[in-house]
């Protein structure tokens, strides 16, 4: 909020001084014009291109590492193996148990790397926007997770058994079921996919807006603003650099949270009582 207040004050002062108008980023950033198949169901715009690039790059990295494995690992192989071990042990096995983790590790690994790859594009030069900053990709991953844990529950316990175990809490007084059953139904069958989607989407959308706001303001204030506002330009640049570093951490954290919640929901569905 402090950066926004500074920029608002700077914009008013610059307009009063007769300088060029500062255009703050808005929601149109996330709806670029299509450059292929415009007006059809298959519109292809800049954000879709970013998603394709992120997918191709992460697949290429996996392929290169898999085809160049060595008994004595190189530095890059060691880093890759460390991340894979982190996903397998710290996310899948610690959440789901080893047996269930072995079954769903490909899905959890795919979710983690896909979310990270599409998050990190927001700080990559010439891409400069996250593939997860528009609802399509987060919603697709949430739907895949949603279907996976419900199908797992139906297979493990049968339709009636899973519905009963997912909505009726063991040990709760019978009178409380009048209140708890609707809450559990809404939580597990309606709300969870939306919370998965919105959590990722909102973090990436806000992160992109903050980066664009900070660096656009820095350029504007330092190059076009009066000398009295140069200090604000330095301040917004420092804020932009901090947001840049923070965005890297958030990209990793959101990939971890999404994969962890996916593993947790699958584990809960696979249990007989939860």
């Amino acid at each position: 909020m402090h950066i926004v207040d500074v920029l608002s004050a700077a914009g008013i002062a610059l307009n009063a001084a007769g300088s060029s108008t500062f255009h703050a980023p808005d929601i149109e950033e996330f709806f670029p014009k299509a450059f292929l198949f415009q007006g059809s169901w298959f519109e292809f715009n800049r954000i879709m291109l970013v998603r394709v690039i992120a997918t191709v790059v992460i697949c290429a990295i996996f392929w290169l590492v898999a085809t160049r494995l060595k008994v004595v690992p190189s530095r890059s192989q060691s880093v890759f193996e460390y991340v894979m071990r982190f996903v397998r042990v710290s996310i899948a096995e610690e959440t789901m148990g080893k047996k269930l983790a072995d079954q769903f590790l490909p899905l959890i690994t795919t979710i983690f790397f896909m979310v990270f790859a599409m998050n990190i594009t927001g700080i990559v030069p010439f891409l400069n926007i996250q593939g997860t900053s528009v609802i399509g990709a987060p919603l697709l991953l949430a739907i895949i997770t949603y279907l996976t844990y419900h199908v797992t529950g139906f297979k493990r316990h049968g339709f009636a058994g899973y519905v009963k175990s997912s909505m009726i809490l063991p040990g709760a007084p019978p009178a409380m079921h009048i209140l708890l059953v609707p809450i559990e139904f809404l939580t597990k069958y309606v709300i969870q996919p939306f919370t998965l989607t919105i959590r990722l989407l909102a973090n990436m959308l806000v992160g992109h807006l903050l980066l664009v706001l900070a660096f656009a303001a820095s350029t504007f204030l330092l190059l076009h603003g009066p000398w009295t506002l140069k200090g604000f330009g330095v301040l917004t640049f420092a804020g932009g650099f901090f947001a840049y570093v923070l965005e890297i951490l958030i990209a990793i954290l959101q990939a971890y949270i999404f994969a962890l919640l996916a593993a947790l929901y699958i584990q809960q569905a696979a249990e007989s009582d939860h």
Side-chain angles (χ1 to χ4, degrees):
M1 292 298 295
H2 294 300
I3 292 178
V4 174
D5 292 339
V6 168
L7 292 178
S8 299
I12 294 171
L14 286 168
N15 288 333
S19 301
S20 302
T21 304
F22 171 73
H23 298 284
D26 55 29
I27 201 66
E28 292 182 5
E29 290 270 333
F30 305 97
F31 298 96
K33 291 183 179 179
F35 51 82
L36 287 176
F37 313 117
Q38 188 171 7
S40 73
W41 285 94
F42 304 98
E43 279 194 357
F44 195 83
N45 58 31
R46 176 171 163 253
I47 294 180
M48 294 178 181
L49 177 61
V50 166
R51 290 171 177 168
V52 170
I53 292 172
T55 303
V56 170
V57 168
I58 201 68
C59 289
I61 291 173
F62 269 83
W63 180 80
L64 287 172
V65 173
T67 55
R68 299 181 182 182
L69 292 176
K70 298 177 181 179
V71 177
V72 180
S74 62
R75 183 174 300 177
S76 59
Q77 182 181 329
S78 297
V79 172
F80 187 81
E81 289 178 352
Y82 174 82
V83 177
M84 290 293 291
R85 191 180 306 113
F86 172 79
V87 175
R88 186 184 73 249
V89 176
S90 299
I91 296 178
E93 291 184 0
E94 289 188 3
T95 303
M96 309 168 76
K98 193 174 188 318
K99 185 177 180 181
L100 203 60
D102 289 342
Q103 182 181 351
F104 290 99
L105 185 60
L107 175 64
I108 302 303
T109 303
T110 300
I111 287 175
F112 178 84
F113 281 99
M114 182 177 177
V115 173
F116 172 73
M118 291 196 179
N119 286 353
I120 207 67
T121 55
I123 62 168
V124 176
F126 306 110
L127 298 182
N128 298 326
I129 195 165
Q130 295 90 338
T132 47
S133 61
V134 176
I135 197 168
L139 181 60
L140 175 63
L141 290 170
I143 290 173
I144 291 171
T145 302
Y146 178 82
L147 293 176
T148 299
Y149 67 77
H150 282 314
V151 169
T152 300
F154 293 143
K155 285 183 176 180
R156 290 289 182 103
H157 315 297
F159 181 82
Y162 174 65
V163 171
K164 178 181 177 181
S165 66
S166 65
M167 292 193 294
I168 298 179
L169 299 179
M176 290 295 293
H177 290 158
I178 298 173
L179 176 64
L180 294 176
V181 167
I183 293 175
E184 289 296 313
F185 174 81
L186 288 173
T187 299
K188 290 184 170 63
Y189 293 93
V190 180
I191 296 175
Q192 279 182 349
F194 289 101
T195 57
L196 276 173
T197 302
I198 299 302
R199 181 185 292 105
L200 177 58
L201 173 66
N203 277 279
M204 295 303 104
L205 187 148
V206 170
H208 175 75
L209 286 177
L210 183 60
L211 281 174
V212 173
L213 185 64
F215 286 121
S218 300
T219 302
F220 184 68
L221 292 170
L222 292 172
L223 298 181
H224 304 290
W227 67 269
T228 53
L229 293 178
K230 300 296 184 185
F232 287 119
V234 174
L235 181 64
T236 55
F237 181 82
F241 180 77
F242 174 77
Y244 184 89
V245 175
L246 187 63
E247 197 67 10
I248 298 174
L249 298 177
I250 291 174
I252 300 171
L253 181 62
Q254 288 303 313
Y256 169 75
I257 290 174
F258 204 110
L260 182 68
L261 288 175
L264 178 63
Y265 293 159
I266 293 170
Q267 183 267 340
Q268 289 177 341
E271 286 186 346
S272 58
D273 292 309
H274 55 279

